[in-house]
Amino acid sequence: MEKIEIQKFIALNEEFETANKLVRLGFGELQSINLDNDFYFLPFQLLSQGFERFMKAYICVAYVEKHDILPDFQYIKSLGHDLERLLEEIKLNYYSHYRPVQFEADWQLISDDMNLNELLFILSEFGKLARYYNFDFITGSSKIGINPKEAWRKFENKIKTVDIHTIEKLTNHDVNHEVYQEITNYIINLFERFITALSRQIIWGTLGELGKQLTISSFFDYGTLYEKDFGKTDYRKCTTKYKETPKSIHKRIVSDELNRKFNPDFRSKKIRKCDYKGDWPFYADEIIIECRQKHWCIVTIDGYDYALNGAAKGRYKLENPHDAGMAILGKSIEYFITMALKLW
């Protein structure tokens, strides 16, 4: 393998680091989309750039491993901003098939998953042309791209059909935020699998020792993800807005415990993950649900109270577990609200 100049090594490392930050921020901004925030432009910008930089950096390092020299400017330039084209280049020239079943599953995902292809197409079009869609439309450009926001929403509607249950959720103040979370969780789950499929190649040596060295602090960890790990990360914690927004939670004190134990208007129940038969939505393995005066439902996690339903959120000015980062986005807490109300 060619000994890369230290400046170029640093530059490649920086590209992997930048791509990793862009992808994580993009996931975080995507998880922030809700009924009050439909600013898709930012996650589109972050993810289109993040995926492009990751795949181009991947190709650069894989090229060194294969040809013992860095690719030239014209080769990388010829790949453009087309994410589908970049992925095709990787599949054709820089993807190794190993024996473990997992690698065949990875290959099947990046080759045959139509939903992944559709999402990459939208982001590709955004990166190539569609980020200026409004100006192109306003000025009557002959090279107008797709409307990325419209295409994305069409995809969302496809994976989350508007049935009676969805309508009921959207009109339920307690859980309407979960509809967007379920959609976003599906998309991020798919993108995580995509990044993991390529990162696993790094772990198994397709990019050689150089690839491992350059990704150890960025994408290397993605290569260790498996089925149980996808869709569990709250990437909003990477965003500045989330970090700087104060979280309205309540640290329990002695009087809270006395009320829980002796106040006839308070009823509570401890629930453990190991005893729960459904899809456990909390990061903690044990929680306590509580219903006050047959109306206000809260949940205690690690000594702090959070609002389970909208009534408690309004009365006590508490965050719900999803907004506070204590519950997995895309996993519903609706049944826990029902259980709390049924304590009476």
Side-chain angles (χ1 to χ4, degrees):
M1 183 186 75
E2 178 193 39
K3 185 176 181 180
I4 297 178
E5 300 169 30
I6 187 64
Q7 293 90 344
K8 291 183 178 181
F9 180 93
I10 292 171
L12 265 174
N13 184 69
E14 188 173 316
E15 279 303 313
F16 276 116
E17 293 283 353
T18 299
N20 182 49
K21 290 174 183 176
L22 288 169
V23 168
R24 288 179 176 274
L25 283 170
F27 288 165
E29 293 297 342
L30 201 56
Q31 287 176 332
S32 298
I33 297 293
N34 53 44
L35 289 170
D36 301 316
N37 171 30
D38 66 346
F39 188 49
Y40 286 89
F41 187 94
L42 185 53
F44 288 172
Q45 184 88 312
L46 293 166
L47 291 175
S48 61
Q49 286 195 30
F51 289 159
E52 179 186 340
R53 287 177 179 273
F54 171 55
M55 286 193 281
K56 283 184 175 177
Y58 178 109
I59 288 171
C60 282
V61 180
Y63 192 96
V64 172
E65 181 66 16
K66 187 173 183 178
H67 301 288
D68 206 32
I69 189 172
L70 281 164
D72 61 25
F73 171 76
Q74 289 300 327
Y75 172 58
I76 295 299
K77 183 182 179 182
S78 70
L79 299 174
H81 304 292
D82 190 331
L83 302 183
E84 294 173 294
R85 168 78 176 85
L86 287 165
L87 182 56
E88 192 63 28
E89 184 72 9
I90 289 172
K91 285 159 52 182
L92 287 173
N93 298 304
Y94 311 112
Y95 190 96
S96 295
H97 294 268
Y98 297 100
R99 287 186 178 181
V101 175
Q102 183 60 54
F103 292 101
E104 286 310 309
D106 290 343
W107 175 258
Q108 197 168 29
L109 172 80
I110 63 175
S111 298
D112 302 328
D113 194 292
M114 299 304 294
N115 286 337
L116 175 62
N117 291 340
E118 185 173 346
L119 290 171
L120 290 179
F121 169 76
I122 296 170
L123 291 177
S124 285
E125 290 302 301
F126 178 86
K128 290 187 294 182
L129 195 64
R131 64 184 182 274
Y132 298 115
Y133 173 83
N134 285 336
F135 281 119
D136 291 337
F137 177 73
I138 291 166
T139 57
S141 171
S142 60
K143 293 184 178 180
I144 192 167
I146 66 168
N147 183 330
K149 186 175 179 179
E150 186 178 288
W152 196 271
R153 282 181 162 172
K154 184 178 179 181
F155 178 84
E156 290 179 336
N157 291 333
K158 182 180 74 172
I159 63 170
K160 184 68 176 179
T161 54
V162 182
D163 53 20
I164 293 176
H165 180 65
T166 302
I167 293 172
E168 288 176 348
K169 260 198 164 184
L170 284 170
T171 56
N172 184 341
H173 182 63
D174 293 337
V175 292
N176 57 16
H177 63 282
E178 292 184 350
V179 175
Y180 272 97
Q181 289 175 357
E182 289 169 11
I183 295 170
T184 301
N185 195 59
Y186 174 86
I187 293 171
I188 290 179
N189 187 308
L190 195 55
F191 279 152
E192 283 181 331
R193 292 172 187 273
F194 160 60
I195 293 293
T196 294
L198 298 185
S199 298
R200 217 182 318 271
Q201 291 282 304
I202 297 171
I203 288 180
W204 283 75
T206 299
L207 275 62
E209 288 303 313
L210 179 62
K212 294 177 183 178
Q213 292 169 19
L214 288 168
T215 59
I216 193 67
S217 61
S218 55
F219 288 97
F220 192 88
D221 286 347
Y222 277 102
T224 65
L225 298 181
Y226 288 92
E227 191 64 36
K228 63 180 177 59
D229 305 309
F230 297 120
K232 300 287 182 67
T233 304
D234 189 343
Y235 293 98
R236 295 175 306 172
K237 295 177 181 179
C238 300
T239 66
T240 302
K241 182 179 179 181
Y242 187 86
K243 290 176 182 177
E244 294 181 351
T245 301
K247 304 297 181 291
S248 299
I249 58 178
H250 171 68
K251 182 175 175 59
R252 293 183 65 81
I253 56 178
V254 174
S255 60
D256 296 316
E257 298 304 328
L258 290 174
N259 271 322
R260 176 168 285 173
K261 191 171 183 179
F262 299 111
N263 192 328
D265 291 329
F266 287 47
R267 293 191 181 181
S268 62
K269 180 181 180 180
K270 181 183 290 186
I271 305 173
R272 298 184 301 172
K273 181 180 180 179
C274 59
D275 299 325
Y276 185 69
K277 303 301 181 184
D279 194 8
W280 184 258
F282 303 100
Y283 287 108
D285 291 336
E286 181 179 287
I287 56 101
I288 298 174
I289 57 173
E290 180 176 284
C291 186
R292 301 171 182 175
Q293 297 180 332
K294 303 180 181 180
H295 190 56
W296 297 292
C297 302
I298 63 110
V299 58
T300 302
I301 305 172
D302 296 332
Y304 288 86
D305 286 345
Y306 305 86
L308 262 183
N309 63 356
K313 184 175 183 178
R315 180 177 177 85
Y316 302 114
K317 310 303 179 190
L318 295 173
E319 301 281 358
N320 69 51
H322 284 125
D323 289 343
M326 302 306 293
I328 300 168
L329 297 176
K331 294 195 175 185
S332 180
I333 60 171
E334 185 175 11
Y335 186 60
F336 290 83
I337 299 172
T338 301
M339 283 195 292
L341 291 170
K342 285 184 176 180
L343 290 173
W344 290 90

